[in-house]
């Protein structure tokens, strides 16, 4: 298997070592090469934490994560990360933002050619000399995607990359991402809160529950692309996923309400 998560758990312990919080435990998940896999779940189930662990930004408390049978213990160029906020350098232009992580990996001429290739892929070639503040939010996120792809990672990790965008821009970038994935054949692990987005984009949708965080379902999607919201198969699948998530969301709301009542007393 290309990407393996074996009995993975994550517990955060306070600095005083007197208390701890388990985000999730015993996560088993396998992802095949070139798959587009989305992770859905209520707030607090550990979606972003799990993605950070695959990126090597967080360590597992238990279990292991392997990429091509090699255990992930730190960040590396074989995994590219795209966050909800683009995290670009405002003092650099678009071209230099994309080439920045390539320093020390390849020569200046090769890095520039790589940047031009992926900026063309995300339709930003004519903005290569623009500064970040001159771009819209959607354009900034396309720069972040080009930067991640320029490193030629084996896995592209995306943590709610379109969550802060307006609906129209979001749909445009979803369509562009599918084209990029089909062209590059990258393995993509994509975290989202949107059921519609997950179904539109993915080969598989992993649904996580909470308290404790765990995988509760793995939906394999064989609906032909491009997928339309009005497609009866899409509507039916969306209902199935929503029904599964509803119980988990209600569990979180009841717990939060109970905590508020106890606090007020």
């Amino acid at each position: 298997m290309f990407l393996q998560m074996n009995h993975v758990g994550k517990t955060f312990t306070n600095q005083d070592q007197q208390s701890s919080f388990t985000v999730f435990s015993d996560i088993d998940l396998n992802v095949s090469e070139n798959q587009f896999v989305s992770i859905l779940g209520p707030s607090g189930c550990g979606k972003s934490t799990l993605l950070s662990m695959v990126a090597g930004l967080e360590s597992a408390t238990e279990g292991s994560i392997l990429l091509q049978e090699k255990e992930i213990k730190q960040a590396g160029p074989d995994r590219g990360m795209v966050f909800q906020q683009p995290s670009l350098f405002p003092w650099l232009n678009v071209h230099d933002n994309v080439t920045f992580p390539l320093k020390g990996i390849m020569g200046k001429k090769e890095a520039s050619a790589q940047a031009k290739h992926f900026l063309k892929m995300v339709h930003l070639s004519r903005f290569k000399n623009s500064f970040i503040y001159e771009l819209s939010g959607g354009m900034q996120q396309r720069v972040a995607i080009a930067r991640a792809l320029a490193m030629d990672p084996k896995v592209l990790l995306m943590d709610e990359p379109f969550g802060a965008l307006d609906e129209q821009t979001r749909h445009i970038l979803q369509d562009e991402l599918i084209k990029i994935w089909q062209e590059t054949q990258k393995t993509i692990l994509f975290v989202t809160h949107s059921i519609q987005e997950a179904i539109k984009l993915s080969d598989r949708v992993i649904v996580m529950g909470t308290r404790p965080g765990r995988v509760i379902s793995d939906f394999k999607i064989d609906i032909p692309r491009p997928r339309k919201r009005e497609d009866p198969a899409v509507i039916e699948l969306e209902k199935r996923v929503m029904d599964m998530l509803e119980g988990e969301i209600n569990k979180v709301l009841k717990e939060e309400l109970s905590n508020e009542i106890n606090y007020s007393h």
Side-chain angles (χ1 to χ4, degrees), residues 36-39 51 158 161-162 177 188-192 197 201:
F36 195 128
V37 178
S38 287
I39 303 177
L51 205 69
M158 309 188 80
F162 309 142
L177 180 59
I188 297 181
L189 203 56
F190 188 99
V191 164
T192 178
E197 183 169 69
L201 296 175

Side-chain angles (χ1 to χ4, degrees), residues 13-79:
T13 303
N14 289 347
Q15 290 183 346
D16 58 11
Q17 303 292 314
Q18 297 300 310
S19 60
S20 61
F21 172 70
T22 298
V23 183
F24 51 73
S25 61
D26 206 29
I27 297 287
D28 281 312
L29 182 61
N30 294 326
V31 178
S32 299
E33 191 170 9
N34 310 135
Q35 271 194 330
F36 195 128
V37 178
S38 287
I39 303 177
L40 275 173
S43 297
C45 70
K47 303 183 297 296
S48 294
T49 300
L50 188 62
L51 205 69
S52 293
M53 291 164 69
V54 177
L57 303 175
E58 291 275 359
S59 58
T61 310
E62 58 186 41
S64 60
I65 302 176
L66 289 82
L67 179 58
Q68 292 184 310
E69 301 185 355
K70 182 179 179 181
E71 187 170 1
I72 294 172
K73 293 188 176 180
Q74 60 187 12
D78 56 355
R79 284 147 287 140

Side-chain angles (χ1 to χ4, degrees), residues 31-159:
V31 178
S32 299
E33 191 170 9
N34 310 135
Q35 271 194 330
F36 195 128
V37 178
S38 287
I39 303 177
L40 275 173
S43 297
C45 70
K47 303 183 297 296
S48 294
T49 300
L50 188 62
L51 205 69
S52 293
M53 291 164 69
V54 177
L57 303 175
E58 291 275 359
S59 58
T61 310
E62 58 186 41
S64 60
I65 302 176
L66 289 82
L67 179 58
Q68 292 184 310
E69 301 185 355
K70 182 179 179 181
E71 187 170 1
I72 294 172
K73 293 188 176 180
Q74 60 187 12
D78 56 355
R79 284 147 287 140
M81 188 86 172
V82 179
F83 300 93
Q84 183 172 351
Q85 299 299 330
S87 302
L88 300 169
F89 300 118
W91 59 89
L92 297 178
N93 64 26
V94 167
H95 174 274
D96 292 347
N97 262 282
V98 176
T99 59
F100 184 84
L102 303 178
K103 292 178 180 178
I105 298 176
M106 60 183 70
K108 190 174 181 179
K109 189 175 181 180
E110 186 183 357
S112 182
Q114 191 87 328
K116 289 175 182 176
H117 172 73
F118 286 105
L119 285 173
K120 183 178 180 181
M121 187 178 289
V122 298
H123 310 296
L124 287 177
S125 294
R126 67 190 182 96
F127 294 95
K128 66 179 182 179
N129 295 319
S130 299
F131 285 91
I132 301 307
Y133 64 85
E134 299 177 296
L135 307 181
S136 68
M139 293 166 74
Q140 290 180 24
Q141 198 58 287
R142 280 190 273 163
V143 176
I145 293 170
R147 181 177 61 181
L149 289 170
M151 297 174 64
D152 194 24
K154 296 175 181 175
V155 183
L156 186 60
L157 305 167
M158 309 188 80
D159 191 2

Side-chain angles (χ1 to χ4, degrees), residues 120-265:
K120 183 178 180 181
M121 187 178 289
V122 298
H123 310 296
L124 287 177
S125 294
R126 67 190 182 96
F127 294 95
K128 66 179 182 179
N129 295 319
S130 299
F131 285 91
I132 301 307
Y133 64 85
E134 299 177 296
L135 307 181
S136 68
M139 293 166 74
Q140 290 180 24
Q141 198 58 287
R142 280 190 273 163
V143 176
I145 293 170
R147 181 177 61 181
L149 289 170
M151 297 174 64
D152 194 24
K154 296 175 181 175
V155 183
L156 186 60
L157 305 167
M158 309 188 80
D159 191 2
E160 296 192 68
F162 309 142
L165 303 176
D166 63 84
E167 187 173 2
Q168 184 178 1
T169 303
R170 186 171 185 151
H171 284 304
I172 291 169
L173 289 190
Q174 287 169 354
D175 292 339
E176 287 194 2
L177 180 59
I178 284 294
K179 292 174 184 175
I180 290 168
W181 169 70
Q182 290 172 334
E183 184 173 339
T184 64
Q185 287 296 290
K186 294 294 180 188
T187 304
I188 297 181
L189 203 56
F190 188 99
V191 164
T192 178
H193 274 103
S194 169
I195 298 173
Q196 290 177 355
E197 183 169 69
I199 292 172
K200 179 178 180 177
L201 296 175
S202 313
D203 296 317
R204 292 164 63 198
V205 175
I206 307 300
V207 180
M208 291 184 67
T210 190
R211 309 294 196 272
R214 66 206 186 283
V215 174
I216 58 175
S217 191
D218 182 348
F219 289 91
K220 292 175 176 61
I221 305 177
D222 55 7
I223 303 169
R225 294 181 174 92
R227 297 168 186 158
K228 303 295 184 182
R229 291 181 64 178
E230 61 272 18
D231 185 332
V234 170
I235 294 170
E236 192 273 335
L237 181 56
E238 186 178 338
K239 183 180 184 306
R240 285 172 59 201
V241 176
M242 186 63 237
D243 288 345
M244 182 155 290
L245 273 174
E246 203 165 26
E248 297 300 318
I249 294 169
N250 287 336
K251 189 192 301 183
V252 173
L253 292 174
K254 286 179 182 177
E255 185 172 316
E256 290 176 352
L257 181 60
S258 176
N259 288 338
E260 287 177 9
I261 293 172
N262 291 335
Y263 181 77
S264 65
H265 283 268

